[in-house]
Amino acid sequence: MNNNDYIKGNKEKGLTPITSQWMHDIMSHPKVVHKLFTQYGSPLNILHPASFTKNCTKFKEVFQSNNVKSGIFYARKANKAKAFVKQAFKENIGVDTASERELLQSLQLGGAGEHLVLTSAIKTEKQIEIALQNKVPIVLDNDDECILVNNLAEKNNCKARVAFRLSGFYVEGNKLYSRFGFDIDEIEEYLINHVGDGKTYSNFKVEGLHFHLDGYSTQQRSEALLQCIKLIQKLKNRHFSFRFIDMGGGILINYLKHKKEWLDFDARLKQSLKGEIAPVTFNNNGLGYRIEGGIIKGERKTYPYFNEINSERFLEGILKYSDENGSSVATLLQKENIEIRIEPGRSLVNQSGITMAKVVHRKKDAKGQWLIGLEMNMSQMMSSSADFMLDPYVMYANLNEDQTEDKSVEVYFTGAYCLERDLLLKRKVALPQLPEINDIVVFVNTAGYMMHFFETQAHLFELAPNLVYTETSKPVELSNFKLDADD
Ligand SMILES: Cc1ncc(COP(=O)(O)O)c(C=O)c1O
């Protein structure tokens, strides 16, 4: 039978991803997809800016319904594509830039100072000069940066628009450590003593406070906001008027349809490490867990792929959180007339990208495991998470739906680097039949940190092309895809 079908791996015991209609529209047009591979090679990153807009609208609605002044700055580190930067400006939101090229390119794509912020961990003279010349607010991290920015502002005969990045907030009696920012315990004195007319740093226009917390706690973010608000209240009497607090990113998203699958996988991973069931990962990789004396130790080092409180509900939770007097974060922001800013990366590009690769070979290794070689390498779908925990789809040219014969196989997808560990997914994937050469494997929801963040060019491999997909009312065709470009 030749039915050009596509199917999700792991029909049972899977991790079923949340998907969008546009992804299915593409997967159900194999002829178009094959033409894309002929034209652009493998793998292909497909980007869908319309989904970015949907995410953006949800955040705007939360701010509106909570009646707070707000600013959204897309953290473009999550994805390199220009398409999302352009989409951000179209949506009248800003862009958070974290390097010279991110900043320059965002300016070239039409971002003005008001629509940008510079948050780089390392700020070079050149970056700062560009920011100053374009009136882009600079988020200051340390005293050396203050010296440099102040000097360069003087040289450029301007005031530097600045915000101070803070860390070390207290949550339930514990101080949150971060390598970034000024300590919350020291910033008040630092500002009073060093910043302002006639002081060491007299070339600053102080506009805001900033933080970005590791992890995904709404409580920590709310507590940090409350501590920032308190600081702003105190500093008012010292002639500081802050107009915004930027709470960075880290808004959780939900990748998975079923909580049960997520919990079950965790249980099976532990069972497989104990040798109670067959390995569920390549070489029984514990994804952070390890076994010591028959006991599971450590933590799973993956993104929390299933989250009930995600996206707009996550943001809502932060704003609704109350202080000890019962005032919500939102109410306090309103009262103090403070604009709340966010820098979402992953959550703005949720459902906005897929990565597709062609099957090049199939082989059985010495353990009898099927390895499916894809024209792609591990760096083209890699994040800080120990594995990408979403079941992939396979677009079969010839899927035999005759149920009388069981052709099912369990496979691992392998990549093009010369490393034993170039596995595109560490998880084993069950398929209804062995893919054929030139069949296509589709990894969904890869726009946030997966497709670009750790992408490398070892072996002189080309970087994967990024194609922007714009749908029309007509069936999917080649002209719906355009290379990510300036215009
Ligand atoms: C300063 C800052 N802002 C925003 C972000 C974006 O975070 P996320 O993609 O989790 O929303 C990051 C991520 O590292 C960051 O460091």
Side-chain angles (χ1 to χ4, degrees):
M1 194 189 296
N2 188 341
N3 56 7
N4 284 332
D5 224 337
Y6 71 93
I7 203 157
K8 183 187 82 69
N10 293 330
K11 189 169 178 208
E12 283 154 23
K13 297 181 180 169
L15 288 172
T16 307
I18 295 170
T19 51
S20 296
Q21 187 54 44
W22 70 269
M23 301 172 183
H24 295 280
D25 292 344
I26 292 175
M27 289 191 281
S28 55
H29 286 82
K31 282 195 182 132
V32 178
V33 171
H34 279 283
K35 280 188 202 160
L36 290 174
F37 277 105
T38 308
Q39 193 164 338
Y40 299 105
S42 174
L44 289 172
N45 294 322
I46 311 288
L47 314 165
H48 188 245
S51 294
F52 179 101
T53 289
K54 275 192 199 162
N55 299 324
C56 189
T57 305
K58 285 185 201 156
F59 289 145
K60 284 180 183 168
E61 283 169 0
V62 172
F63 286 132
Q64 259 161 25
S65 67
N66 281 279
N67 216 3
V68 284
K69 282 208 278 182
S70 62
I72 304 174
F73 291 75
Y74 162 53
R76 63 166 304 185
K77 68 192 78 180
N79 189 289
K80 282 189 323 197
K82 296 170 190 157
F84 295 129
V85 174
K86 289 190 276 182
Q87 199 71 6
F89 296 144
K90 234 188 238 174
E91 293 307 317
N92 204 25
I93 66 164
V95 173
D96 160 26
T97 64
S99 73
E100 183 187 321
R101 285 183 69 204
E102 282 192 3
L103 174 60
L104 262 183
Q105 198 181 66
S106 303
L107 285 162
Q108 281 155 7
L109 292 170
E114 200 47 51
H115 277 115
L116 297 174
V117 60
L118 182 70
T119 61
S120 325
I122 302 289
K123 298 186 187 73
T124 59
E125 270 193 34
K126 183 120 176 264
Q127 272 177 59
I128 295 167
E129 294 255 11
I130 298 166
L132 289 173
Q133 283 153 14
N134 292 281
K135 300 191 170 51
V136 176
I138 301 169
V139 174
L140 296 167
D141 172 87
N142 58 69
D143 189 48
D144 278 347
E145 259 179 25
C146 288
I147 297 171
L148 187 59
V149 171
N150 192 65
N151 288 346
L152 291 173
E154 189 166 317
K155 189 179 128 200
N156 282 270
N157 199 18
C158 66
K159 292 263 184 204
R161 300 177 64 190
V162 300
F164 286 85
R165 182 164 178 168
L166 305 183
S167 59
F169 299 102
Y170 290 89
V171 180
E172 291 179 337
N174 298 316
K175 194 168 168 66
L176 303 179
Y177 172 78
S178 167
R179 78 178 175 96
F180 297 105
F182 291 84
D183 194 314
I184 181 82
D185 295 327
E186 291 169 13
I187 188 70
E188 188 180 346
E189 215 183 298
Y190 181 88
L191 290 173
I192 292 170
N193 291 335
H194 304 296
V195 179
D197 289 343
K199 298 182 189 160
T200 318
Y201 306 124
S202 55
N203 298 314
F204 291 167
K205 182 168 181 291
V206 180
E207 299 191 358
L209 295 177
H210 178 284
F211 62 85
H212 170 82
L213 303 184
D214 205 20
Y216 302 101
S217 159
T218 52
Q219 187 200 9
Q220 288 180 4
R221 284 171 172 76
S222 302
E223 288 288 350
L225 281 169
L226 292 175
Q227 287 160 54
C228 286
I229 295 168
K230 273 203 181 127
L231 179 66
I232 290 176
Q233 287 167 332
K234 281 204 249 170
L235 285 166
K236 251 202 249 175
N237 307 326
R238 311 298 294 246
H239 310 296
F240 284 93
S241 68
F242 291 89
R243 68 181 183 92
F244 70 80
I245 305 173
D246 184 335
M247 57 166 248
I251 294 174
L252 269 180
I253 67 170
N254 185 24
Y255 283 95
L256 294 173
K257 270 194 181 158
H258 310 294
K259 180 177 187 175
K260 185 171 182 316
E261 285 187 346
W262 178 236
L263 299 177
D264 285 354
F265 175 78
D266 195 69
R268 272 183 290 114
L269 177 62
K270 288 175 177 164
Q271 282 176 302
S272 74
L273 291 180
K274 288 184 189 162
E276 294 166 5
I277 57 170
V280 296
T281 53
F282 191 71
N283 284 341
N284 227 354
N285 188 312
L287 307 181
Y289 291 135
R290 60 185 193 281
I291 186 128
E292 276 176 27
I295 296 167
I296 301 288
K297 297 267 177 77
E299 285 173 24
R300 204 191 49 240
K301 293 204 169 74
T302 63
Y303 183 82
Y305 282 87
F306 182 85
N307 296 292
E308 258 147 11
I309 308 291
N310 63 74
S311 307
E312 66 275 21
R313 285 184 69 196
F314 187 95
L315 184 57
E316 180 87 27
I318 294 169
L319 294 174
K320 289 272 190 289
Y321 186 90
S322 297
D323 71 0
E324 65 277 12
N325 304 315
S327 303
S328 71
V329 169
T331 318
L332 293 167
L333 290 168
Q334 285 159 17
K335 214 168 107 197
E336 294 296 330
N337 196 25
I338 300 169
E339 176 184 329
I340 172 83
R341 294 185 172 182
I342 53 173
E343 292 166 356
R346 187 191 297 269
S347 54
L348 274 179
V349 293
N350 186 19
Q351 294 294 319
S352 307
I354 58 176
T355 300
M356 306 197 286
K358 255 172 37 174
V359 172
V360 172
H361 67 235
R362 299 84 41 87
K363 66 186 276 192
K364 240 183 192 174
D365 68 9
K367 292 182 182 170
Q369 310 178 115
W370 276 109
L371 307 181
I372 310 295
L374 301 186
E375 191 175 355
M376 174 172 177
N377 67 64
M378 61 195 283
S379 81
Q380 290 165 324
M381 199 178 67
M382 185 186 273
S383 72
S384 51
S385 176
D387 201 20
F388 186 52
M389 309 282 270
L390 308 188
D391 293 334
Y393 285 77
V394 178
M395 294 170 65
Y396 286 97
N398 298 292
L399 181 62
N400 190 338
E401 285 184 319
D402 178 1
Q403 299 291 333
T404 53
E405 198 187 349
D406 180 15
K407 292 188 165 185
S408 62
V409 284
E410 292 183 323
V411 308
Y412 292 105
F413 294 108
T414 56
Y417 278 178
C418 57
L419 303 169
E420 290 286 357
R421 65 190 167 89
D422 191 350
L423 270 283
L424 297 160
L425 297 177
K426 295 187 183 74
R427 275 189 318 132
K428 192 158 65 182
V429 178
L431 295 173
Q433 73 184 43
L434 195 65
E436 290 172 5
I437 291 166
N438 290 333
D439 279 350
I440 290 156
V441 180
V442 183
F443 303 101
V444 297
N445 211 357
T446 54
Y449 296 104
M450 295 309 305
M451 51 175 73
H452 294 149
F453 202 80
F454 289 102
E455 196 182 19
T456 52
Q457 284 186 291
H459 304 285
L460 287 183
F461 281 123
E462 297 278 7
L463 299 178
N466 297 300
L467 299 175
V468 181
Y469 172 65
T470 314
E471 62 243 281
T472 62
S473 51
K474 288 193 272 171
V476 178
E477 53 180 68
L478 212 55
S479 61
N480 296 127
F481 300 85
K482 296 261 175 328
L483 274 174
D484 181 50
D486 291 342
D487 51 343

